């Protein structure tokens, strides 16, 4: 609910459990007043105190009032060069050469439903689902208007923000920084939580106190990256899963980004998040506009679990798009780890046949089916079937797979090219490269200049020919290197600072075209595993391959970290063979199944090599997944332990709406002789319901299971796992 107090110029955004307030002050600066637990119908500006602070300048309007300084006031969108020395949200290079920005309130308006951004991903909401407030700030000297969009999704405690700049002057201005989010706190006794890692180990949680000065994470790789995720949290020092104030900030962007927190001299904190300023400079001609990507904030006064559950529900309903918000996605088998590049049509059909027999519904043909692609040094860019491997082409292969009762999916890496390809030989100037400098390779490949429409059109035409040649239900859209040598032949020297961002806009453009032309094709995002796992991609690709690491034990950490923001239905997760391809570990098949099942489930192994007993188990896993699909994907998700804190077991739980059903998942660590007896305290159940344990028949009250806990069985061997399905009875 948006509440306006026009007389006092106060804007209050209420969600079910939270309140966000801003107020225009006596000098027309938009101050950030409050964000936290819901407080109804109050002017909270008394919370903001100011007094004279040496070396903090006073704006001209303040005259002799030395108590007022932008340097210490909490602001809604911080400026630069005119008195606030903390993290800026906006930096402009004005025609005279100065780097300043100064913003004052001009007005507001309301819009029905959730605002939409042109060419960028965003949450969506109809009139009865979301509200929009637009607050207008202006820099009268620069003649720049800053439109600040707020989307309020009350039921989800979700507030989205986006920024649009308009050059209202007659001269060209350069935008050197335009953050998507600025969030000021009048305290600094806070922790910062970030999700970090590398290829094969993404989104590991790191937590530490906000310290004096600036701390930041980000990416200058042109992708959101394996190294840091564009989702961060700020919380009370003692906040945990069930208690304490926490704030999530998610940037819906798939390119270079920065999330920085500054704890300033008077122990205030500021979080600024947006496109990374490295090599970013956008030329804004008169009447030109620039839109910064969206951010989505969820505040939870009751700990991390509640915040995550709100994100999960909001992402499912308002970020993913029809038909993949709630429709059950097929269980898939992918041939990559089974064959790598070494396959032919018979081999693929064999895998598909085995899979169909086990209840698997979609066969995905991974890398190696096109051009001269027999290893990873050639073929990218030539999206035509390799007739040596697949003599009958897709026209012959796809019907064979479909005759088995399966859908067919295909791997593509549209943004890339190998030098050994017809595309590169014909268009060597279509890549990102700096004149006079030989470009760096990554995985032996170069990056196509997706900021250029002609390049994108050519790739799209090739993709369309493939998609129209057979009945294809799924695309794995891969992207296997970071961007370097970022320079485009399509832009003049003075506009090269736009290429990183235009590249991302180009990727979104192509994905949107695919979505419009083939709305029923399920696209799974991938970037060497989870190198581009972000809210921007999720708008176009409702599931993303979580990591190239398929080891179930490593996956516990990766999926745990990912779950803080992103719902399980978005996390591509597969059962693979043992010893694991990435780390050589042996884990039981049950453990691999249970871990992958809390994701967009599939298999990635040569099923023909499985024993009859293994096949029986796989059939059973697939049945269990299908049976509990709604509970796993629509249920409330509870983390019961952290793999970063306790390696003896990792547990998580899904609880249905109405609390009638729950699925508890437990993966034990390395075995020890005579281990201690443990109980696991469950969450989210109804204390007065009686729950029966499936397969055992024992009955416990919800209160008992949450207070004293469920006794964990002792199983021999390393990394055993089990699921407990609970159903309310009586
Ligand atoms: C990336 C993906 C893998 C696989 C290979 C194929 O590494 O993450 O799943 O598709 O590419 O080359």
């Amino acid at each position: 609910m948006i509440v306006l107090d026009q007389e006092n110029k106060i804007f209050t955004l209420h969600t079910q459990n939270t309140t966000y307030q801003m107020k225009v002050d006596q000098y027309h600066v938009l101050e950030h007043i409050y964000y936290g637990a819901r407080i109804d119908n109050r002017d909270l500006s008394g919370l903001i105190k100011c007094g004279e602070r040496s070396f903090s300048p006073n704006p001209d309007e303040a005259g002799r009032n030395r108590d007022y300084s932008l340097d210490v006031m909490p602001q809604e969108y911080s400026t630069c060069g005119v008195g606030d020395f903390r993290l800026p949200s906006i930096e402009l290079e004005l025609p005279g050469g100065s780097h300043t920005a100064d913003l004052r309130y001009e007005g507001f308006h309301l819009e029905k439903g959730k605002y939409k951004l042109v060419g960028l991903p965003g949450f969506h909401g109809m009139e009865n689902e979301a509200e929009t407030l637009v607050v207008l700030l202006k820099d009268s000297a620069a003649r720049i208007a800053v439109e600040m969009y707020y989307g309020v999704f009350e039921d989800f405690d979700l507030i989205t923000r986006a920024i649009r700049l308009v050059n209202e002057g007659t001269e060209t201005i350069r935008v050197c920084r335009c953050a998507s989010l600025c969030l000021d706190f009048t305290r600094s006794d806070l922790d910062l939580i970030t999700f970090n890692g590398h290829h094969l180990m993404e989104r590991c949680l790191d937590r530490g106190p906000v310290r004096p000065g600036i701390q930041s994470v980000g990416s200058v790789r042109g992708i959101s990256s394996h190294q840091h995720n564009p989702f961060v949290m700020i919380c009370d020092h003692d906040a945990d899963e069930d208690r304490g104030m926490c704030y999530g900030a998610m940037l819906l962007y798939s390119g270079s980004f920065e999330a920085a927190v500054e704890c300033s001299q008077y122990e205030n904190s500021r979080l600024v998040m947006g496109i990374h300023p490295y090599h970013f400079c956008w030329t804004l001609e008169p009447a030109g506009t620039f839109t910064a990507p969206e951010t989505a904030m969820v505040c939870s006064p009751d700990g991390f679990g509640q915040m995550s559950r709100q994100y999960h529900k909001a992402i499912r309903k308002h970020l993913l798009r029809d038909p993949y918000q709630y429709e059950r996605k097929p269980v898939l088998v992918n041939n990559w780890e089974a064959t790598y590049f070494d396959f032919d049509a018979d081999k693929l059909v064999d895998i598909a046949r085995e899979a169909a027999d086990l209840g698997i519904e979609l066969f995905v043909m991974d890398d190696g089916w096109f051009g001269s692609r027999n290893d990873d040094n050639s073929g990218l860019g030539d999206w035509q079937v390799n007739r040596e491997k697949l003599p009958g082409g897709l026209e012959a292969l796809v019907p064979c797979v479909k005759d088995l009762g399966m859908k067919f999916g295909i791997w593509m890496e549209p943004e890339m090219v190998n030098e050994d390809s017809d595309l590169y030989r014909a268009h060597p100037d279509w890549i990102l490269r700096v004149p006079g400098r030989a470009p760096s390779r990554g995985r032996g490949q170069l990056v196509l200049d997706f900021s250029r429409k002609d390049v994108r059109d050519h790739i799209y035409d090739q993709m369309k020919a493939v998609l129209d040649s057979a009945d294809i239900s799924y695309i794995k859209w891969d992207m296997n290197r970071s961007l370097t040598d970022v320079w485009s032949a399509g832009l003049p020297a003075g506009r090269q600072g736009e290429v990183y961002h235009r590249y991302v806009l180009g990727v979104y453009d192509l994905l949107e075209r695919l979505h419009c032309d083939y709305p029923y094709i399920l696209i799974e995002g991938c970037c060497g595993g989870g190198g581009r796992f972000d809210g921007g991609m999720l708008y176009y690709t409702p599931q993303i391959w979580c990591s190239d690491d398929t080891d179930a034990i490593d996956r516990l950490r990766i999926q745990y970290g990912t779950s803080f923001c992103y719902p399980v239905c978005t996390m591509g997760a597969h059962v693979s063979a043992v010893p694991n391809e990435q780390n050589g570990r042996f884990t039981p098949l049950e453990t691999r199944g249970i871990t992958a099942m809390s994701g967009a489930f599939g298999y990635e192994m040569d099923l023909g090599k499985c024993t009859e007993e293994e096949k029986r188990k796989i059939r059973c896993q697939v049945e269990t997944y299908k049976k509990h699909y709604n509970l796993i994907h629509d249920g409330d998700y509870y983390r019961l332990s952290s793999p970063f804190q306790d390696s003896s077991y990792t547990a998580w739980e899904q609880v249905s709406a109405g609390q009638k059903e729950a699925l508890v998942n437990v993966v034990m660590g390395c075995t020890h002789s005579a281990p201690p007896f443990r109980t696991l305290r469950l969450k989210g159940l109804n204390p007065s319901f009686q729950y029966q344990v499936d397969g055992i028949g024992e009955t416990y009250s919800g209160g008992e299971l949450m207070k004293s806990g469920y006794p964990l069985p002792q199983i021999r061997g390393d990394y055993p796992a089990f699921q407990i399905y609970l159903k309310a009875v009586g």
Side-chain angles (χ1 to χ4, degrees), residues 336 366-367 411 443 476 478 480 526 528-529 545 548:
W336 177 243
D366 210 277
D367 194 356
W411 180 96
R443 204 196 184 195
K476 179 172 170 187
D478 210 339
N480 279 311
C526 179
W545 182 224
D548 274 349

Side-chain angles (χ1 to χ4, degrees), residues 528-662:
R532 205 161 55 177
F533 202 121
D534 55 68
M537 286 307 285
L538 282 180
Y539 182 69
Y540 306 98
T541 67
Q543 65 190 50
I544 300 179
W545 182 224
C546 213
S547 177
D548 274 349
D549 188 341
T550 58
D551 169 55
I553 304 308
D554 282 355
R555 274 293 184 122
L556 294 175
R557 289 180 165 217
I558 297 167
Q559 293 177 199
Y560 170 88
T562 308
S563 78
F564 274 77
C565 180
Y566 309 104
V568 291
C569 68
T570 63
M571 301 182 207
H574 300 169
V575 173
S576 61
V578 287
N580 179 265
E581 286 284 314
Q582 289 78 41
N583 62 16
R585 190 180 348 238
F586 283 86
T587 49
L589 184 52
E590 290 80 357
T591 305
R592 285 174 273 151
I594 287 170
T595 307
M597 231 179 259
S598 279
F601 186 46
Y603 289 80
E604 185 153 344
M605 59 202 287
D606 189 344
L607 296 165
K609 290 188 181 153
C610 292
T611 63
E612 285 310 310
E613 175 58 7
E614 285 170 334
K615 286 184 191 168
R616 189 191 62 73
K617 286 183 179 172
I618 291 175
R619 199 172 283 118
C620 187
Q621 286 175 352
V622 172
E623 269 168 29
T624 305
Y625 179 72
K626 288 178 186 170
K627 182 167 136 207
H628 295 312
Y629 186 89
N630 289 340
L631 175 55
I632 293 172
H633 290 296
D634 295 340
D636 280 338
Y637 186 84
Y638 290 86
R639 290 174 290 267
L640 301 179
S641 73
S642 163
F644 293 97
Q645 280 168 3
D646 184 351
S647 59
S648 59
Y649 70 94
T650 301
W652 66 98
E653 179 192 2
Q654 285 104 359
V655 181
S656 66
Q659 299 163 302
K660 290 276 169 62
E661 290 177 279

Side-chain angles (χ1 to χ4, degrees), residues 455-584:
V455 175
R456 298 198 302 270
D457 285 348
H458 184 91
I459 294 296
Y460 191 66
D461 289 346
Q462 287 198 58
M463 293 178 80
K464 203 165 164 37
V466 173
L467 297 176
D468 292 342
S469 73
D471 187 359
I472 293 173
S473 309
Y474 161 109
I475 300 170
K476 179 172 170 187
W477 176 305
D478 210 339
M479 198 289 188
N480 279 311
R481 59 160 293 180
S482 312
L483 271 53
T484 59
D485 308 281
V486 173
W487 191 92
S488 170
L491 287 168
R495 300 190 74 151
Q496 292 298 321
E498 299 178 15
V499 182
Y500 270 108
H501 182 53
R502 285 190 185 276
Y503 179 93
V504 179
L505 295 179
V507 172
Y508 291 157
D509 171 62
L510 209 58
L511 283 162
E512 186 62 22
R513 272 199 250 174
L514 273 177
H515 176 78
C516 293
D517 291 351
Y518 305 93
Y520 289 97
I521 293 189
L522 169 62
I523 309 179
E524 175 156 357
C526 179
C527 178
R532 205 161 55 177
F533 202 121
D534 55 68
M537 286 307 285
L538 282 180
Y539 182 69
Y540 306 98
T541 67
Q543 65 190 50
I544 300 179
W545 182 224
C546 213
S547 177
D548 274 349
D549 188 341
T550 58
D551 169 55
I553 304 308
D554 282 355
R555 274 293 184 122
L556 294 175
R557 289 180 165 217
I558 297 167
Q559 293 177 199
Y560 170 88
T562 308
S563 78
F564 274 77
C565 180
Y566 309 104
V568 291
C569 68
T570 63
M571 301 182 207
H574 300 169
V575 173
S576 61
V578 287
N580 179 265
E581 286 284 314
Q582 289 78 41
N583 62 16

Side-chain angles (χ1 to χ4, degrees), residues 254-268:
S254 312
S256 300
F257 77 97
E258 185 174 52
V261 179
E262 178 166 8
C263 165
S264 61
Q265 53 183 341
Y266 298 113
E267 295 177 11
N268 297 320

Side-chain angles (χ1 to χ4, degrees), residues 62-92:
R64 294 195 169 180
N65 175 9
R66 294 190 189 176
D67 285 352
Y68 186 94
S69 174
L70 296 174
D71 200 24
V72 290
M73 308 293 300
Q75 286 169 67
E76 200 50 32
Y77 199 62
S78 57
T79 53
C80 77
V82 296
D84 186 348
F85 298 105
R86 296 168 294 170
L87 284 168
S89 305
I90 184 167
E91 185 180 343
L92 305 174

